[in-house]
Amino acid sequence: MVYLDAFYEEWDTHLIGAKTRLRPQPMPGDLAMRLIAFASRKLYGKMFATWPPKVRQALLAKYATVEPQRASAQERSNVPELRDELKAWGQVPDKPLIALVALGIDTSMKFLMSKQVLREITEGKAALYRPLGDSAENGQTRVLLDARHSTISTDAPDVVLQAIDDLWRRVS
């Protein structure tokens, strides 16, 4: 398994500040969702700038719209429930894994959180994912200082591909 800065149920174990603890997030209203979708065009445009025009346009038409943004907001709205559900399943299976940790700050987070909270999240995430990598006999954690959660695969494509290749070589 290659984790791309994936949610890990031990978040509250390592991020203990009042502003970093998991809590349900309210769903934005329709106007806010339309503004988020509009703003996402610029983000996705940058992410896919070097992609073939036909592919880039198809991705923008699909993801820079209200529905995918609403789905993302719904995912964030029940993170504590997701944490509890994952914990109920028990420990991460002892299978080969590489956890990639993105410590860069997403653009939206810069607007929504103080520098202190962002620092706490960065430090906490670095500590959070080490035990995940160590939980498997063939596990490993790799920290990406400049990659961001939302754009890890486009911020560090070579690192992501290398992790997939390294894991594939371990299991084949």
Side-chain angles (χ1 to χ4, degrees):
M1 172 77 65
V2 175
Y3 287 76
L4 297 181
D5 204 53
F7 175 71
Y8 182 42
E9 62 267 23
E10 295 299 327
W11 181 277
D12 283 341
T13 303
H14 297 280
L15 288 109
I16 57 176
K19 301 235 179 194
T20 58
R21 294 196 64 77
L22 293 178
R23 60 188 179 279
Q25 296 180 13
M27 284 293 296
D30 288 336
L31 177 60
M33 290 307 312
R34 288 196 303 271
L35 290 171
I36 292 167
F38 176 77
S40 72
R41 280 193 77 74
K42 186 175 181 181
L43 171 69
Y44 289 128
K46 284 182 181 179
M47 283 175 60
F48 305 127
T50 61
W51 293 38
K54 189 174 182 179
V55 174
R56 181 177 58 248
Q57 291 305 320
L59 289 168
L60 286 172
K62 173 75 175 171
Y63 292 106
T65 61
V66 170
E67 286 313 308
Q69 300 306 318
R70 187 181 320 276
S72 180
Q74 286 173 329
E75 287 176 7
R76 290 187 305 274
S77 73
N78 69 352
V79 173
E81 292 173 29
L82 173 61
R83 175 207 52 219
D84 297 342
E85 184 177 325
L86 289 170
K87 281 188 171 195
W89 280 93
Q91 294 295 322
V92 173
D94 187 14
K95 302 291 181 191
L97 70 86
I98 297 175
L100 298 180
V101 184
L103 296 185
I105 305 298
D106 282 8
T107 304
S108 61
M109 292 172 67
K110 290 178 185 178
F111 294 112
L112 301 172
M113 299 174 185
S114 70
K115 287 182 180 181
Q116 178 183 347
V117 170
L118 292 173
R119 188 172 30 260
E120 288 175 19
I121 289 173
T122 300
E123 292 169 1
K125 279 178 67 175
L128 167 67
Y129 288 97
R130 266 187 236 110
L132 175 61
D134 293 344
S135 71
E137 185 176 327
N138 290 312
Q140 186 179 41
T141 301
R142 297 179 186 177
V143 176
L144 290 71
L145 298 175
D146 297 323
R148 297 161 291 176
H149 172 78
S150 296
T151 54
I152 187 172
S153 61
T154 54
D155 289 343
D158 294 339
V159 176
V160 172
L161 290 173
Q162 186 64 57
I164 294 167
D165 186 61
D166 291 348
L167 195 64
W168 178 252
R169 290 176 191 277
R170 286 185 201 169
V171 299
S172 61

